[in-house]
Amino acid sequence: MEKWPVIIGLIFVFALGIGVGAVYFGGGQSNWDRAYALSDIKGSQVKNMQGEDLGTLDDFVIDTDGRVGFAILSHADKLVAVPFDAITYDQSEKRLSLNMSKERIESAPAFDKSTDLSRSAWTDEIFRYYGVQPYWGEERLGQRQSMPGMMEEPHTSR
C-alpha cells in the first residue's frame, strides 16, 4: 500500500480540523482584534453603532482574580460603570463600541468611586441595566455574597 495518499489525507484532515476549530472557537464573546494593555485603551472614545459618542474610558474595575469586570465610562459630567464584556472592538470602524443608544447611557446609574464594589446588589443592577449576562452566570444573580474574586466584607467575629 502506498504511504503518500494516506499521509496527504491525514494532513488534509488535520488542517481541516484546525480550520473548523478556529472558526468555531474563534467566534467567542469578544471580537477584539488583538490583546490590549489597559493603558492602551484608557482614554479611548466609545461610540455606539450609529457613531454617536458615548464617552471616554476613564477607569476599570478588576476583581481579585484579575478579570476586568467593568469599564468606567466618563459621559458628559458623570461616570458610569459598564460591564466590560458589553464593550467590543468594531474592526471595520477601528473603534470601541457599545451597543446602546445615547439616551440610554445618559440615564444609566451614575458610578461613584466610593461605591462598595463587592455589593452584589450593585453588580446585579449594572449587569441587568446593560442586559449583559455576568461572567459568573445568570443563575447566581442575587444568590451570591459578592462578585467572584471581590473581597468579602470583613467579619467582625472569628
Side-chain angles (χ1 to χ4, degrees), residues 125-157:
E125 175 189 0
I126 299 301
F127 275 94
R128 281 191 181 116
Y129 184 83
Y130 290 95
V132 175
Q133 184 167 336
Y135 57 86
W136 56 83
E138 181 68 30
E139 69 281 355
R140 292 179 55 197
L141 271 176
Q143 297 176 5
R144 59 188 162 70
Q145 296 299 317
S146 64
M147 188 165 60
M150 297 301 276
M151 296 179 64
E152 299 285 332
E153 292 184 29
H155 297 285
T156 53
S157 61

Side-chain angles (χ1 to χ4, degrees), residues 12-145:
F12 176 75
V13 169
F14 181 71
L16 182 64
I18 289 174
V20 169
V23 168
Y24 182 76
F25 293 109
Q29 294 181 1
S30 175
N31 65 348
W32 295 75
D33 67 335
R34 63 179 176 91
Y36 288 87
L38 291 179
S39 60
D40 287 345
I41 61 173
K42 185 175 178 183
S44 296
Q45 292 295 313
V46 177
K47 297 188 178 215
N48 63 14
M49 302 309 174
Q50 293 74 34
E52 296 174 305
D53 184 25
L54 298 181
T56 305
L57 281 179
D58 183 71
D59 211 345
F60 303 91
V61 176
I62 300 172
D63 66 23
T64 56
D65 291 332
R67 180 169 171 101
V68 179
F70 299 98
I72 306 302
L73 194 64
S74 175
H75 175 79
D77 58 350
K78 74 176 183 178
L79 298 175
V80 294
V82 177
F84 192 71
D85 289 342
I87 296 175
T88 60
Y89 179 77
D90 184 338
Q91 293 180 14
S92 64
E93 297 292 326
K94 305 289 186 216
R95 68 173 183 222
L96 297 177
S97 296
L98 177 61
N99 190 12
M100 179 165 284
S101 71
K102 194 169 188 173
E103 294 77 24
R104 183 91 170 135
I105 200 78
E106 286 170 355
S107 63
F111 174 76
D112 182 349
K113 290 192 180 198
S114 66
T115 299
D116 178 3
L117 302 175
S118 66
R119 272 186 333 111
S120 64
W122 179 81
T123 56
D124 290 354
E125 175 189 0
I126 299 301
F127 275 94
R128 281 191 181 116
Y129 184 83
Y130 290 95
V132 175
Q133 184 167 336
Y135 57 86
W136 56 83
E138 181 68 30
E139 69 281 355
R140 292 179 55 197
L141 271 176
Q143 297 176 5
R144 59 188 162 70
Q145 296 299 317

